Amino acid sequence: MAKIAVMNMAGQQVSDLELSDAVFAVTPNEAVMHAMVVNYLANQRQGTQSTLTRTEVAGGGRKPWRQKGTGHARQGSIRAPQWTHGGVALGPKPRDYRYTLTKKTRRLAMKSALSTKVLDQEMIVLDSLQVESFKTKTIAAMLKALNAKGKALLVTAETDQKVVKSAANIPGVKTAAVNTLNVYDILNCDTFIVSKDAVAKIEEVCAK
C-alpha cells in the first residue's frame, strides 16, 4: 500500500496513512475519465433553450404579394425563415440532455481520478477538517499553511456547513462531502484536500 503524509490544519505532518491500492493506485483510464466528465457536464445542462418556428411567430398570415407577375420570388408569409423577424428553421427546443453511464464505468472513473491526484502529488490528507465557527479566515490560513495553489477542493466525510460557508467566499475553493464527490471536480482542482475520515469512507464506497 502507498503511504501519504497526514497533515494538520497548521501545515504540520502528524502521521502517515496507508492508502488502498484498489482505490488510489489503479492505472488511470483517460478514456473513462473523459466519458465521465462529458456525462457530468451534459447532466448539468438546463436544456431550456428555445426558438420560435414560423408557426409560432406572430403575424405573417397574409400572403405578402400575389404569386405571379411582380418580378419578386414567390412568397407565402413574411414569417418564413428567410425573412427578417421570421421563424427559425430547425432551431433548438427544450430537451433533456441527461444520460447515464454504467456503475462499473462510474466506479472506474472515480478510482482513476483519485489515483491521478496521488500520482501527480496533488492530494493532501488532513487529520481533521473542522472549524469552530463560520470564519473564512480559518480556511484561508489553512490553505496558506498547506501551500495549496490554484483551485482547491475540500472534501469532508459528511456535509459540514461551517466548512462549506467558511470556504464559500474564497475564489477557486470548492467543498464537497463524500456522497457528492464527482470526477469532474476532482480533475478540475489543482489541490485535492481530503480529511482522514473522508479517505476511509471513499475507500469503503469505491472498493466494493
Side-chain angles (χ1 to χ4, degrees):
M1 289 187 173
K3 282 189 177 182
I4 190 169
V6 178
M7 316 292 286
N8 59 22
M9 293 181 65
Q12 301 166 336
Q13 182 175 346
V14 293
S15 63
D16 290 319
L17 177 67
E18 288 188 348
L19 299 175
S20 171
D21 289 345
V23 178
F24 292 97
V26 304
T27 303
N29 189 319
E30 292 187 8
V32 170
M33 288 190 291
H34 177 265
M36 197 68 220
V37 169
V38 172
N39 172 252
Y40 174 82
L41 293 176
N43 291 348
Q44 299 308 301
R45 297 185 66 174
Q46 290 184 319
T48 55
Q49 73 280 17
S50 184
T51 53
L52 300 180
T53 65
R54 60 184 296 170
T55 62
E56 296 169 323
V57 180
R62 180 174 63 86
K63 189 175 175 66
W65 51 74
R66 58 184 180 160
Q67 182 82 346
K68 295 179 181 292
T70 63
H72 295 295
R74 55 194 176 188
Q75 300 291 333
S77 170
I78 61 170
R79 295 299 180 241
Q82 71 271 21
W83 284 73
T84 302
H85 306 302
V88 176
L90 306 176
K93 284 291 185 182
R95 56 169 288 196
D96 184 7
Y97 288 91
R98 294 186 64 85
Y99 67 95
T100 58
L101 296 175
T102 64
K103 183 184 290 185
K104 185 177 180 180
T105 300
R106 296 196 303 269
R107 187 164 293 160
L108 178 57
M110 178 64 74
K111 291 179 181 179
S112 295
L114 294 169
S115 298
T116 297
K117 287 301 171 186
V118 175
L119 285 172
D120 294 343
Q121 297 182 344
E122 295 177 348
M123 178 173 169
I124 298 174
V125 178
L126 293 177
D127 61 339
S128 177
L129 179 51
Q130 294 179 333
V131 292
E132 295 180 358
S133 58
F134 298 91
K135 287 285 186 180
T136 301
K137 186 191 302 182
T138 304
I139 299 296
M142 179 197 72
L143 294 172
K144 184 176 181 181
L146 295 173
N147 197 27
K149 298 178 180 178
K151 298 177 183 176
L153 177 63
L154 310 181
V155 183
T156 53
E158 304 289 345
T159 301
D160 187 336
Q161 288 300 325
K162 288 183 179 179
V163 173
V164 172
K165 293 185 177 181
S166 296
N169 289 334
I170 305 176
V173 177
K174 189 171 183 178
T175 58
V178 172
N179 62 345
T180 63
L181 194 59
N182 62 78
V183 173
Y184 176 80
D185 285 340
I186 294 173
L187 296 176
N188 191 44
C189 71
D190 299 302
T191 308
F192 181 59
I193 303 172
V194 55
S195 69
K196 191 176 179 180
D197 292 341
V199 171
K201 198 165 185 179
I202 290 171
E203 291 179 344
E204 180 185 348
V205 173
C206 294
K208 295 179 181 178

